[in-house]
């Protein structure tokens, strides 16, 4: 049973029920998009899956094995299998790009060139510090760092937010290659509907901490759930709600 | 009021737990020498100027103060001994530790705090590693060692400061100054200075790493962590100074009684 499963996950942060009874699953070779408005708890969902935030209720299963977030040592193996690409680049700013990439495992240096070419990153940036790179390059380096540890599942936190259209397409191609050519399971959290239509095998829409809608991109296109309609129109009224 | 005390005790417990965890990681995994050297350079070498300058001035100020009192009794011959002994045992370590807590303690907690709020510590966890081992241990070891060495250096500089000001300004030449140092300054007082320096270094290290590591809540969170670090280190240095002085004095009395009986 090669899949990443989230079962009935609930989490209260501060006063708010951020995740409520959330269940979803991603198989190897599949791309699942989780769409939702800003602040709905998408980043919290991903961090909970890899145990950076501990859930109040619910379980995470990877390849038929339950994870134990309270056991930090046991989570090491989980995190090696589930690479998380953070929303912010989260690069170590006191280290050069190269030191970031090989952090903790010098062996990774052997794969740097090939992976950099894949992401169309010039090798000269290896000696730069993260602060000397543009945001787009930082995000690509961050993606590269996660790819180098060669995980089985990839969790992307808004991989294309803040990128130009060309870079967006490039990142989308990388995500597709990861799933289709390398058979990784990709869970992409985003509010970029175009990318979702382009890539997703399935789309899940979360609203107020719960799953409001789950189906194929064409299901999503036809749905008359108000938030889905608003997403399609691209005219979410941010004055409303939160 | 009761709530505040409760919270304080809880914080103390969490700090102790954290320190034990760091210590265990250090004893089981060791520390990578490259990151240790890098950190020693950052916190140690770069703090040399401030340590030297502050050591000189602390020594000079104390010499002036003590001279004022001795002059009235015409007992200036004791200046060297008295001022050196007070500086080494008590005020020297405390004042220099204060300066270092501002210099390296605040720096470390701000650095770790920024790493925490920008997901850099989480990124280490996600790469299957332990941020305590990779980031905290090298910083803490470097911080403790270099604070210790800097304190010793600073103490040395206080003596120099005392000598310089006495001969330049107070009319006590270096030979007179050093004549009765041995009368007042035993190896015991030097020992007290060394023990205190080590403990103060440890306090600065563990407290700043503790608050930095547990930072949450954006830029304000980093500000809070730095503020808490400075308050906690200053208070703990004073408390530690008091505890160590009384404990060591009782120990000394105990030894003396044992030796006499
Ligand atoms: N450590 C925390 N403590 C308290 N509340 C938190 C914490 N982390 C997140 N939250 C809250 O949880 C909610 C969801 O945050 P999250 O970052 O997951 O949103 P998001 O869906 O990723 O939004 P965005 O698209 O802006 O990234 C927010 O209301 C946030 O304030
Ligand atoms: Mg987010």
């Amino acid at each position: 049973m090669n899949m990443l499963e989230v079962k009935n996950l609930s989490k209260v942060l501060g006063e708010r029920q951020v995740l409520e009874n959330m269940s979803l699953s991603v198989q190897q070779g599949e791309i699942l998009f989780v769409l939702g408005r800003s602040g709905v708890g998408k980043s919290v969902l991903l961090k909970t899956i890899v145990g950076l935030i501990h859930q109040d209720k619910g379980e995470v299963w990877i390849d038929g094995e339950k994870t134990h977030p309270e056991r930090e040592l046991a989570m090491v193996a989980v995190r090696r299998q589930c690479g998380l690409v953070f929303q912010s680049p989260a690069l170590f700013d006191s280290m050069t790009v190269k030191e970031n990439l090989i952090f903790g495992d010098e062996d990774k240096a052997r794969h740097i060139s090939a992976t950099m070419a894949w992401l169309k990153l010039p090798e000269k940036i290896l000696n730069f510090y993260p602060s000397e790179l543009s945001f787009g390059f930082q995000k690509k380096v961050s993606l590269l760092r996660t790819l180098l540890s060669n995980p089985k599942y990839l969790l992307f936190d808004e991989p294309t937010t803040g990128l130009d259209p060309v870079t967006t397409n490039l990142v989308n191609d990388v995500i597709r290659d990861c799933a289709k050519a390398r058979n990784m399971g990709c869970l992409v959290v985003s509010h970029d509907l175009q990318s979702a239509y382009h890539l997703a095998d399935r789309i899940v829409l979360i609203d107020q901490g719960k799953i409001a809608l789950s189906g194929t991109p064409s299901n999503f296109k036809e749905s008359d759930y108000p938030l889905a309609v608003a997403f399609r129109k691209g005219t979410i009224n941010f004055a409303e709600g939160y | 009021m009761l709530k505040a005390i409760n919270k304080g005790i809880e914080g103390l417990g969490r700090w102790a737990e954290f320190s034990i965890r760091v210590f265990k990681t250090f004893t089981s995994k060791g520390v990578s020498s490259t990151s240790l050297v890098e950190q020693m350079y950052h916190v140690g070498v770069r703090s040399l100027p401030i340590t030297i300058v502050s050591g000189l001035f602390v020594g000079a100020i104390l010499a002036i103060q003590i001279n004022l009192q001795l002059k009235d009794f015409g007992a200036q011959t004791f200046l060297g001994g008295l001022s050196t002994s007070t500086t080494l045992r008590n005020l020297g370590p405390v004042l220099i530790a204060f300066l270092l807590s501002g210099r390296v303690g605040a720096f470390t907690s701000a650095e770790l705090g920024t790493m925490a709020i920008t997901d850099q510590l989480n990124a280490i966890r996600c790469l299957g590693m332990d941020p305590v081992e990779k980031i905290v241990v090298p910083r803490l070891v470097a911080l403790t060692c270099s604070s210790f060495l800097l304190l010793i250096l600073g103490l040395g500089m206080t003596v120099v400061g005392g000598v310089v000001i006495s001969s330049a300004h107070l009319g006590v030449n270096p030979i007179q100054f050093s004549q009765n140092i041995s009368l007042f300054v035993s190896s015991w007082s030097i020992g007290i200075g060394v023990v205190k320096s080590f403990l103060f270094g440890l306090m600065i290290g563990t407290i700043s790493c503790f608050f930095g590591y547990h930072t949450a809540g954006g830029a304000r969170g980093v500000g809070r962590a730095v503020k808490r670090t400075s308050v906690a280190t200053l208070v703990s240095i004073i408390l530690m100074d008091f505890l160590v002085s009384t404990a060591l004095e009782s120990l000394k009395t105990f030894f003396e009684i044992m030796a006499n009986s």
Side-chain angles (χ1 to χ4, degrees):
Chain A
M1 221 197 319
N2 283 343
M3 61 173 171
L4 169 69
E5 285 177 280
V6 171
K7 296 182 182 169
N8 305 320
L9 221 52
S10 297
K11 177 74 193 173
V12 176
L13 277 171
E15 305 275 283
R16 239 186 84 193
Q17 178 94 38
V18 181
L19 305 177
E20 194 175 342
N21 242 347
M22 201 172 285
S23 300
L24 45 86
S25 65
V26 196
Q27 288 175 3
Q28 278 198 280
E30 188 189 26
I31 302 177
L32 173 72
F33 260 73
V34 174
L35 299 180
R37 290 177 56 174
S38 289
V40 77
K42 303 186 296 294
S43 301
V44 171
L45 172 67
L46 295 188
K47 286 182 180 173
T48 313
I49 291 176
V50 296
L52 296 174
I53 295 177
H54 295 186
Q55 65 264 35
D56 300 332
K57 277 197 220 108
E59 294 162 1
V60 176
W61 291 69
I62 292 165
D63 294 347
E65 278 190 47
K66 194 179 147 189
T67 66
H68 297 277
E70 70 285 355
R71 286 191 229 148
E72 193 63 23
L73 276 180
M75 288 312 285
V76 170
V78 172
R79 289 173 190 150
R80 292 230 163 107
Q81 290 188 58
C82 294
L84 170 57
V85 186
F86 287 89
Q87 182 169 2
S88 63
L91 297 173
F92 311 129
D93 43 28
S94 58
M95 300 178 199
T96 63
V97 168
K98 180 157 188 205
E99 287 165 339
N100 265 276
L101 294 176
I102 59 172
F103 187 80
D105 181 7
E106 312 258 317
D107 271 358
K108 288 181 190 163
R110 286 185 291 139
H111 304 289
I112 288 182
S113 297
T115 322
M116 281 186 102
W118 187 20
L119 284 172
K120 298 208 169 64
L121 281 167
E123 299 228 355
K124 66 165 198 280
I125 65 163
L126 282 175
N127 296 320
F128 286 21
Y129 283 91
S131 57
E132 295 166 335
L133 300 176
S134 73
F135 178 74
F137 270 62
Q138 289 183 23
K139 276 202 92 141
K140 283 209 268 183
V141 171
S142 163
L143 173 59
L144 179 59
R145 185 175 64 185
T146 307
L147 287 174
L148 279 174
S149 45
N150 201 20
K152 220 165 162 181
Y153 298 95
L154 270 169
L155 313 176
F156 294 91
D157 197 342
E158 306 199 13
T160 55
T161 305
L163 301 183
D164 69 83
V166 180
T167 315
T168 300
N169 283 335
L170 179 77
V171 170
N172 283 339
D173 288 346
V174 169
I175 297 175
R176 185 189 294 114
D177 279 357
C178 286
K180 305 306 168 190
R182 303 190 169 200
N183 202 32
M184 297 170 173
C186 295
L187 174 57
V188 186
V189 143
S190 177
H191 32 61
D192 178 358
L193 193 56
Q194 289 314 317
S195 297
Y197 282 159
H198 201 59
L199 289 177
D201 294 312
R202 283 186 300 125
I203 293 179
V204 162
L205 178 71
I206 47 180
D207 192 12
Q208 320 243 356
K210 281 187 256 190
I211 294 188
L213 203 71
S214 170
T216 61
S218 44
N219 292 150
F220 190 87
K221 280 180 192 160
E222 286 151 16
S223 161
D224 51 11
Y225 186 81
L227 185 61
V229 176
F231 252 85
R232 285 202 302 267
K233 277 199 201 149
T235 52
I236 293 184
N237 183 0
F238 280 98
E240 218 176 80
Y242 305 107
Chain B
M1 180 67 194
L2 220 64
K3 238 185 182 170
I5 294 176
N6 251 339
K7 257 184 109 178
I9 293 175
E10 196 192 315
L12 213 61
R14 293 202 307 136
W15 165 76
E17 197 184 328
F18 175 80
S19 309
I20 291 168
R21 179 169 160 214
V22 176
F23 185 72
K24 274 190 182 156
T25 314
F26 173 57
T27 48
S28 63
K29 301 272 173 65
V31 55
S32 107
S33 50
T34 36
S35 37
L36 187 62
V37 169
E38 195 189 312
Q39 290 304 319
M40 288 283 272
Y41 175 76
H42 265 297
V43 296
V45 177
R46 293 203 176 166
S47 306
L48 279 176
I50 185 181
T51 312
I52 292 174
V53 171
S54 55
L56 285 174
F57 277 97
V58 168
I61 293 164
L62 279 170
I64 293 172
Q65 285 301 321
I66 291 172
N67 182 58
L68 276 179
Q69 282 151 359
L70 290 180
K71 215 163 56 183
D72 297 340
F73 301 101
Q76 266 178 317
T77 36
F78 296 121
L79 177 63
L82 269 179
S83 75
T84 315
S85 116
T86 347
T87 328
L88 288 188
R89 293 163 69 118
N90 225 311
L91 284 167
V94 170
L95 286 175
I96 297 167
F98 275 8
L99 285 161
L100 283 180
S101 83
R103 173 72 176 72
V104 293
F107 174 82
T108 304
S109 73
E111 190 191 19
L112 283 180
T114 308
M115 292 186 82
I117 61 156
T118 54
D119 278 332
Q120 292 180 51
L121 297 182
N122 278 339
I124 295 176
R125 292 189 186 102
C126 281
L127 291 169
M129 282 166 278
D130 180 8
V132 168
E133 179 194 340
K134 296 286 171 191
I135 302 290
V136 177
V137 168
R139 278 175 178 66
L140 186 76
V141 174
L143 205 59
T144 308
C145 294
S146 35
S147 301
F148 174 66
L149 295 174
L150 287 168
L151 276 161
I152 301 290
L153 171 76
L155 287 184
M157 295 320 288
T158 57
V159 179
V160 177
V163 172
V164 171
I165 199 76
S166 306
S167 52
H169 193 59
L170 309 175
V172 179
N173 68 42
I175 297 166
Q176 292 168 319
F177 190 90
S178 54
Q179 247 164 12
N180 51 43
I181 285 188
S182 59
L183 211 66
F184 290 84
V185 184
S186 54
S187 49
W188 181 258
S189 9
I190 296 175
I192 290 181
V194 171
V195 169
K196 281 184 181 171
S197 300
F198 177 74
L199 290 174
F200 293 167
L202 203 61
M203 296 311 277
I204 295 174
T206 51
I207 291 173
S208 58
C209 287
F210 171 72
F211 283 117
Y213 186 80
H214 291 103
T215 303
R220 289 195 71 162
V222 178
R224 238 184 344 252
V226 174
K227 180 195 78 186
R228 287 182 180 156
T229 301
S230 15
V231 174
T233 39
L234 295 188
V235 172
S236 71
I237 285 168
I238 294 180
L239 276 180
M240 201 61 147
D241 186 48
F242 172 73
L243 290 177
V244 173
S245 302
T246 31
L248 288 181
E249 282 314 319
S250 344
L251 205 66
K252 191 180 178 196
T253 325
F254 175 75
F255 280 139
E256 279 166 359
I257 294 170
M258 291 303 278
N260 289 339
S261 66

